[in-house]
Amino acid sequence: MALLNLDAGRAPLADWNRWVDSLMTTYKTELERNVPIVRETAWKSAWVSHIVQKEAIQNSSDALDQNSSDKWCVTFEMSDILPPEFITITDQGTCGLTGRTIVSKDELDNLEKTDLQKYQQERWARFEALSFPNIDPRGRGSKGQGKWTFIGASDSKTIVYDSLRRDGIYRIGSWQDGRELLQKPPEGFFAEEMIKKDFGLKPLEKVGTRIVIVKPRKELWEGFLPILKSPLARYIGETWWELLKNGALVFIKWREHSARVEIPPYYIDNYIEKNKEETWIIKDCELNWTKNPLAKVKELTVIRSKTMIPEGFNGIAIQRNGMKICGFDVQTENPTITSEIAASIYGWITFNEEGEKELRAIEHTTHYDFGNAIGTFGFHVFGKNGWLIKEIRKFAEQRLGLGPIGKGKSSLSDILAINKLNKFANRNSLGGHGRPVGTLHPEPPTPKKEIRIKMPKPVFPHLETRRVENEEIVKGITISIINDSDIQRKVKLTLVLKTASRKGIPERVLKEFVAQELCIVARKESEVFGPYEVLFAKHRFKDGTYVIEGEIVLLEGDVLDEKFGKGMVLDQERELVYLNEDPPTGGGLFEFIDRVEFKDEKTLQYRVIEKDDKYRIQINTLHPAYKHIEEIDSLLSDYKLKTGTNVPNPIMDYEIGIGAEAIAHYDLKKEVNLIRNEEKRNRFIEQRKRDEKSFFLDAMEQASRIAQEIRHEIL
Amino acid sequence: MAVVWRTDKGEKIYKTPTGQPLTKSARKLADEFDRILSRKMKKVIRELRKEGFFRMKPSLSKYYQLGRSLQFVKDLKLRSKCDPDLENIWRAFYDYAPKLAPRRLPRSQARTVGKRNFFLMCYRLGQLSEETAFTIGSWSNWESIYMVFVGNPQSWKDWERILRWILTKSEFGGRIGRDKLRETLKPVRRIIGKKSKVRRDTTVLTEKELHVLLDSAAKIDDQAVAQS
């Protein structure tokens, strides 16, 4: 290519400030997605402090000097007057920013390939560079971009850093508002004078490094206050609890106050002992990760506490080298764990050195998440039906008694699939169960009532189901009355939320939205009441079924008139809401679809079990056809999560495919309603009668079985 | 959300409302509720003994007295957590105070609370004023009346007014006649029962209108009897 022969090497224009802002936005997105503690309303404004503490402690702990006589310690300090002029982050017990100040890119590249020890020693140069990572596989930082967050945390995009080394060299450097680096960072006396003059700070007395964030952003310095119970301390506790438990010292200082960051109580042995209700501990467990069989889980601890655990500490903390990367929601693929129960479950997972190496490879550059695309270590451990999900499921079943042991998992797609299959079976009068939704002998449509309620379906948090979880909101509840008659009517309109009726148990009204007497003019619609919404808060609502019910009662007329007499309930509309429980599957031929492991007949895709005139479909989760579908489903779910768009549901489609086959078999054995051509149908029935030994039906089943086995072999 | 029941052998069963899973914390709460109920019922027994409950012959007044003593359950804080709909608690009373009931726990109620649970009936009776309760006359009369309402849970909203009408209509010679009561309950069932042709909310009716409605239903019955 001729173009390649031309001289190149002209640096592109770069606006560092914009680049840093964009980086901070990426961090913020990851933070909001993965760190619930930052979502706590009171502290939303301190999100930058979470990023800064994570990056600062990470950099410092990677520079830990094992031979230092000083104890490793990090101190976050804010200047006295608000808004503060600067914030410092100082460490000791580290080796400081060793190495030369000016090292060319080629030289660093060369060292990375040829002399790893020297490469690691060039800390000053790497700190000032972009994307020269720490290559120590045990290092917490790994991408060489954390320091940019310090620049991003400054309103003036300015940071100053000074470092004292073991060899006594004291040096100062800075990044000033996009003007990039100092040509020649001052050392010794000049450096000491500068730091005194510009910030009134004493030069470092102990070996280590200090970062000065000049004109810190509000979202950073607000993390320091109130100083004795600061969000910053809580963030450090949440991220670095493992290091703190091992004796690490972190201080937060402002004016004359100094607070040592404490370990969150949930990780203190005494607290665990006192508050645990159930635990699940696995140690040194192989993961059977074929790409690196040495990767193991060092420890998985799952604790069900007697008390609620705050959202930030909920779930399983995924730890790498003492740092919490993110939390894992215990409800993932474990529908038996309700939100109420999940709120009291927490724990952690740590890995051996090989496991951490694998984790590091898939860790996001922000250190707030892992990639778990199919085929990666992340998918194997945290992905769909991954190691962690299975362990949590075992904990739920064996320790909490949630979900019958041996019964497979069921999810929304199973319910949707079964509803669609039952609807089809009912429409075609198969099985003689459930409500006929028929088109074969359709009943005449019920005429609309003259005076009726208009209550559109409320907006449920999940489009396809009436199931809601705690803290979710059912919105858009509206009601109005339509009077199609020629007479004005006086009515009482009520709209309430109540418990669903159970046999002999009166319903309990929990919330009254509307209770109004209205005059509805002839041929008119009343005003629209609402929209109302219901927040299914954990402390107010128990799991179960609730009803949003609208009713109109006539307030005038002859009480003896059975059409428009006083007291007549003219119309009623109800919307059922299922809190933390699945809506029942529609009545019909099938009872449910169950996904289980076929330990004996691995080659089969499914089997149909008949019980009390009902059918249950069991789907083999070990069959490769299912596994493929599950992987596609996982990919699509990721896509849906990231883009928020609606995507197809491959597992439901797979189940419907199997259900369709089961319906076809059923129909040919019994009613033969699905052979639409009358002549062919009669001929088939005749032939079936003659087939006394059911040869054809057996052959049909054998063919299906063989096809499933072929799929197993080919896939 | 569970209530402790006991089997014949004294083993504990944790009964949750229909369809709810039993969690460990629910079990602990149920155990605590069990202790509280057991203590409360001992106190109830002591007080009833003082009032001569155990010397009384089975009668409406005896069970009204029991019903009054059982009213404490609606105010128990833990009850709203363990049994918010007053669903499973009644069967548990057979475990704490079997002697308060005239008969042993019927087999049909060993696994599920029936509508005719004795303690529940006493509790409902205890909600009435002394005067209304004694007008009912006998336990079997109360059973008949209670079954009309329990079959139509919606009707509990207006049960005291409807009951007053029933009692007025069933009075014969200063007391509630058994046959007369049976006849009176028929139109009530027709008006508020599940098989009623139309659904009504009687709470919006005035006392007079309610009586007109019920009287008219009763009249139709009378005419049918006369014709036959």
Side-chain angles (χ1 to χ4, degrees):
Chain A
M1 203 160 104
L3 203 60
L4 288 180
N5 296 327
L6 298 179
D7 276 349
R10 182 167 57 91
L13 286 179
D15 185 330
W16 293 107
N17 287 358
R18 281 189 198 164
W19 184 77
V20 165
D21 283 340
S22 132
L23 183 75
M24 291 304 277
T25 313
T26 312
Y27 268 90
K28 192 180 181 194
T29 315
E30 286 295 315
L31 198 65
E32 280 171 352
R33 212 154 58 91
N34 296 307
V35 189
I37 198 168
V38 178
R39 288 198 292 262
E40 287 177 27
T41 352
W43 295 349
K44 253 182 189 168
S45 57
W47 63 273
V48 173
S49 64
H50 197 287
I51 299 166
V52 166
Q53 62 82 20
K54 194 168 191 175
E55 291 294 344
I57 297 178
Q58 188 191 97
N59 285 355
S60 173
S61 61
D62 281 346
L64 179 74
D65 182 0
Q66 300 290 358
N67 302 320
S68 171
S69 55
D70 298 321
K71 192 168 167 48
W72 179 67
C73 164
V74 181
T75 307
F76 294 79
E77 192 168 5
M78 182 162 72
S79 62
D80 290 354
I81 298 162
L82 291 180
E85 270 300 300
F86 59 86
I87 277 169
T88 62
I89 305 157
T90 315
D91 67 22
Q92 65 173 52
T94 60
C95 45
L97 291 175
T98 53
R100 294 163 293 167
T101 50
I102 297 169
V103 187
S104 71
K105 179 182 174 295
D106 291 343
E107 201 177 344
L108 262 185
D109 280 339
N110 194 30
L111 282 177
E112 191 181 355
K113 284 171 203 151
T114 56
D115 193 339
L116 292 181
Q117 213 179 346
K118 271 192 181 164
Y119 174 85
Q120 285 293 76
Q121 280 303 309
E122 298 289 1
R123 291 175 197 276
W124 183 280
R126 282 193 294 115
F127 180 79
E128 289 190 330
L130 170 67
S131 292
F132 275 90
N134 176 7
I135 51 168
D136 181 352
R138 291 158 304 164
R140 292 167 183 93
S142 54
K143 315 291 177 190
Q145 76 169 30
K147 61 213 159 253
W148 297 98
T149 60
F150 304 144
I151 299 168
S154 157
D155 270 337
S156 60
K157 300 282 185 301
T158 301
I159 61 165
V160 173
Y161 35 93
D162 56 339
S163 183
L164 178 65
R165 292 165 19 175
R166 266 175 109 182
D167 55 12
I169 291 179
Y170 177 71
R171 188 188 288 152
I172 185 169
S174 75
W175 175 278
Q176 295 171 29
D177 188 19
R179 281 169 50 216
E180 305 183 359
L181 304 164
L182 295 180
Q183 282 295 345
K184 199 174 175 197
E187 290 184 0
F189 176 75
F190 291 113
E192 288 176 8
E193 284 302 304
M194 264 178 186
I195 201 89
K196 274 189 219 163
K197 198 178 149 202
D198 287 357
F199 301 101
L201 292 170
K202 279 186 195 166
L204 292 176
E205 285 165 358
K206 289 190 173 172
V207 175
T209 305
R210 170 166 59 194
I211 312 285
V212 183
I213 300 173
V214 181
K215 294 209 187 311
R217 283 174 68 163
K218 196 164 176 271
E219 294 90 344
L220 172 58
W221 64 260
E222 282 202 342
F224 280 71
L225 303 173
I227 186 72
L228 298 177
K229 216 180 168 187
S230 65
L232 179 62
R234 201 164 147 99
Y235 295 163
I236 295 170
E238 179 242 0
T239 314
W240 298 101
W241 64 269
E242 211 183 330
L243 284 194
L244 293 172
K245 207 174 169 182
N246 292 333
L249 292 174
V250 182
F251 291 96
I252 299 172
K253 292 183 179 177
W254 183 52
R255 294 180 181 168
E256 71 277 15
H257 303 288
S258 173
R260 183 181 164 180
V261 177
E262 303 285 348
I263 315 162
Y266 320 107
Y267 301 109
I268 298 172
D269 296 341
N270 277 349
Y271 178 94
I272 296 171
E273 202 46 48
K274 217 171 127 191
N275 287 282
K276 71 174 185 199
E277 201 168 85
E278 288 295 349
T279 54
W280 184 261
I281 298 171
I282 307 274
K283 283 189 178 168
D284 201 27
C285 181
E286 287 193 8
L287 288 164
N288 300 323
W289 172 237
T290 44
K291 290 178 191 167
N292 183 355
L294 294 176
K296 283 183 183 178
V297 165
K298 196 165 150 195
E299 185 185 336
L300 166 71
T301 298
V302 188
I303 302 165
R304 164 90 194 268
S305 169
K306 288 174 190 165
T307 50
M308 296 251 287
I309 301 298
E311 207 188 344
F313 298 93
N314 238 202
I316 309 300
I318 304 174
Q319 300 286 123
R320 186 177 68 78
N321 212 351
M323 169 170 72
K324 178 181 171 181
I325 305 297
C326 56
F328 184 86
D329 185 353
V330 292
Q331 285 185 287
T332 316
E333 281 197 66
N334 278 310
T336 53
I337 301 178
T338 61
S339 311
E340 197 178 355
I341 298 169
S344 59
I345 297 178
Y346 73 108
W348 56 87
I349 182 169
T350 57
F351 295 82
N352 69 350
E353 217 169 275
E354 288 301 314
E356 292 203 336
K357 227 190 260 177
E358 295 292 327
L359 277 185
R360 200 168 184 263
I362 53 166
E363 196 172 301
H364 285 187
T365 51
T366 56
H367 305 296
Y368 280 112
D369 203 0
F370 293 106
N372 58 356
I374 293 168
T376 61
F377 184 69
F379 185 77
H380 183 72
V381 183
F382 314 116
K384 208 154 193 180
N385 219 9
W387 186 88
L388 188 53
I389 285 171
K390 283 183 190 161
E391 286 303 319
I392 293 170
R393 193 175 299 147
K394 279 189 218 162
F395 168 68
E397 285 176 359
Q398 293 173 29
R399 293 281 194 274
L400 306 181
L402 299 171
I405 295 166
K407 188 180 183 305
K409 53 188 177 169
S410 78
S411 72
L412 181 62
S413 35
D414 303 336
I415 294 164
L416 292 175
I418 211 87
N419 279 342
K420 284 176 191 279
L421 291 167
N422 277 339
K423 211 168 171 182
F424 175 85
N426 289 340
R427 207 165 49 223
N428 290 286
S429 310
L430 296 176
H433 304 283
R435 286 167 295 150
V437 202
T439 50
L440 286 180
H441 311 289
E443 283 184 18
T446 6
K448 277 185 179 174
K449 290 177 181 169
E450 277 190 331
I451 301 170
R452 60 183 180 274
I453 286 175
K454 187 176 161 190
M455 193 166 104
K457 190 183 171 191
V459 182
F460 283 81
H462 310 282
L463 215 61
E464 305 141 312
T465 176
R466 286 164 190 274
R467 181 185 166 123
V468 297
E469 309 289 333
N470 277 124
E471 310 309 327
E472 286 183 337
I473 302 173
V474 177
K475 293 179 188 164
I477 305 165
T478 60
I479 194 165
S480 60
I481 305 170
I482 295 172
N483 182 359
D484 271 348
S485 73
D486 294 324
I487 305 163
Q488 172 177 304
R489 300 282 181 190
K490 190 177 175 193
V491 297
K492 182 182 170 192
L493 172 70
T494 50
L495 178 65
V496 294
L497 172 77
K498 54 189 191 180
T499 56
S501 64
R502 277 170 287 153
K503 223 177 174 181
I505 310 293
E507 295 166 339
R508 233 174 343 120
V509 173
L510 304 168
K511 195 171 182 177
E512 195 173 72
F513 301 105
V514 183
Q516 285 229 2
E517 291 184 8
L518 301 165
C519 275
I520 314 295
V521 181
R523 302 272 165 207
K524 284 266 168 36
E525 186 180 337
S526 73
E527 64 171 295
V528 178
F529 294 88
Y532 305 101
E533 57 181 42
V534 185
L535 165 69
F536 285 89
K538 208 178 290 178
H539 65 278
R540 272 207 63 201
F541 293 89
K542 301 280 170 202
D543 299 356
T545 313
Y546 295 86
V547 190
I548 299 164
E549 185 185 275
E551 192 176 81
I552 32 177
V553 179
L554 207 50
L555 290 180
E556 58 185 9
D558 182 356
V559 280
L560 301 180
D561 181 350
E562 292 207 335
K563 201 171 174 203
F564 291 110
K566 187 174 177 184
M568 301 285 305
V569 177
L570 291 178
D571 196 14
Q572 190 189 56
E573 283 288 334
R574 291 161 71 92
E575 287 289 346
L576 291 170
V577 182
Y578 298 89
L579 176 62
N580 291 329
E581 62 178 30
D582 286 322
T585 53
L589 188 61
F590 298 107
E591 201 172 18
F592 58 75
I593 292 179
D594 203 8
R595 284 187 256 164
V596 286
E597 293 181 355
F598 288 12
K599 296 253 159 71
D600 317 321
E601 298 175 295
K602 284 181 185 165
T603 53
L604 277 190
Q605 265 177 286
Y606 73 96
R607 55 186 165 222
V608 179
I609 296 167
E610 187 179 351
K611 199 183 173 192
D612 306 332
D613 279 348
K614 286 265 188 181
Y615 290 83
R616 296 171 179 185
I617 298 175
Q618 285 192 333
I619 288 178
N620 182 12
T621 53
L622 295 177
H623 197 280
Y626 175 80
K627 285 187 175 172
H628 284 195
I629 287 295
E630 198 176 38
E631 285 179 8
I632 294 168
D633 185 65
S634 174
L635 271 176
L636 286 170
S637 309
D638 278 356
Y639 177 73
K640 186 179 178 182
L641 193 74
K642 282 174 185 148
T643 61
T645 49
N646 274 330
V647 293
N649 186 340
I651 290 191
M652 186 181 77
D653 297 347
Y654 180 77
E655 289 176 342
I656 288 176
I658 285 172
E661 204 173 314
I663 288 179
H665 282 214
Y666 171 86
D667 185 55
L668 294 184
K669 270 191 216 168
K670 307 242 168 143
E671 284 100 342
V672 200
N673 285 346
L674 299 176
I675 301 180
R676 314 281 187 198
N677 182 309
E678 198 63 25
E679 197 185 320
K680 282 183 184 171
R681 180 172 185 263
N682 291 337
R683 201 167 58 220
F684 179 85
I685 294 171
E686 266 313 301
Q687 280 171 343
R688 198 176 66 179
K689 262 189 208 161
R690 285 204 293 273
D691 180 24
E692 283 170 358
K693 289 182 180 168
S694 305
F695 171 77
F696 287 112
L697 293 174
D698 279 350
M700 203 168 62
E701 270 181 17
Q702 283 305 326
S704 163
R705 217 183 157 89
I706 291 167
Q708 293 174 45
E709 284 169 358
I710 292 171
R711 273 176 225 132
H712 183 267
E713 206 174 314
I714 292 174
L715 294 171
Chain B
M1 213 196 269
V3 173
V4 175
W5 289 0
R6 284 180 174 76
T7 63
D8 293 344
K9 292 172 190 164
E11 291 158 350
K12 281 183 179 179
I13 303 170
Y14 293 88
K15 182 73 181 166
T16 57
T18 329
Q20 301 253 340
L22 175 69
T23 60
K24 203 155 182 177
S25 59
R27 194 153 58 201
K28 285 203 168 161
L29 223 54
D31 280 330
E32 201 184 328
F33 188 45
D34 179 42
R35 276 192 295 276
I36 292 173
L37 272 186
S38 164
R39 219 169 35 234
K40 286 264 181 196
M41 284 311 284
K42 275 179 191 156
K43 198 177 158 198
V44 166
I45 292 171
R46 259 198 320 272
E47 279 167 7
L48 285 173
R49 180 167 281 126
K50 269 189 217 162
E51 290 165 11
F53 178 86
F54 293 102
R55 288 194 302 274
M56 289 165 85
K57 283 189 175 168
S59 65
L60 186 78
S61 54
K62 178 177 178 170
Y63 300 136
Y64 177 72
Q65 204 176 339
L66 172 58
R68 298 293 290 176
S69 326
L70 292 180
Q71 297 303 311
F72 74 91
V73 294
K74 66 171 177 273
D75 301 323
L76 275 183
K77 255 191 190 170
L78 212 53
R79 199 267 311 154
S80 56
K81 285 184 186 165
C82 296
D83 193 20
D85 292 315
L86 285 167
E87 190 178 349
N88 295 320
I89 196 173
W90 311 113
R91 151 75 174 77
F93 285 141
Y94 278 100
D95 301 326
Y96 305 122
K99 284 181 185 170
L100 293 179
R103 277 182 284 277
R104 286 170 59 181
L105 174 71
R107 279 221 166 274
S108 59
Q109 287 183 30
R111 294 170 68 84
T112 168
V113 180
K115 290 172 191 169
R116 299 183 81 117
N117 182 288
F118 168 74
F119 288 100
L120 173 57
M121 286 169 71
C122 289
Y123 172 78
R124 283 289 189 190
L125 178 67
Q127 287 182 321
L128 296 171
S129 69
E130 205 168 331
E131 194 194 339
T132 315
F134 292 148
T135 315
I136 292 171
S138 70
W139 179 255
S140 61
N141 284 353
W142 167 239
E143 271 187 316
S144 307
I145 295 168
Y146 169 84
M147 286 314 287
V148 172
F149 291 105
V150 87
N152 311 288
Q154 290 289 335
S155 61
W156 285 114
K157 282 198 286 190
D158 203 16
W159 79 293
E160 289 181 41
R161 288 198 319 160
I162 297 171
L163 180 63
R164 269 202 298 278
W165 181 86
I166 294 170
L167 295 179
T168 318
K169 288 290 160 185
S170 313
E171 200 180 318
F172 186 73
R175 55 191 285 270
I176 304 293
R178 184 97 188 97
D179 293 338
K180 186 87 175 138
L181 175 67
R182 204 174 294 144
E183 288 307 311
T184 314
L185 291 178
K186 277 185 197 167
V188 177
R189 275 202 190 91
R190 221 182 18 257
I191 294 294
I192 61 167
K194 277 181 191 157
K195 287 180 185 166
S196 162
K197 275 189 239 163
V198 289
R199 283 197 56 228
R200 282 190 178 87
D201 178 358
T202 56
T203 56
V204 301
L205 304 181
T206 61
E207 190 96 12
K208 197 178 160 193
E209 285 165 339
L210 179 68
H211 285 200
V212 170
L213 182 69
L214 292 167
D215 283 345
S216 123
K219 213 172 184 179
I220 297 168
D221 276 1
D222 289 346
Q223 280 168 0
V225 171
Q227 276 172 11
S228 67

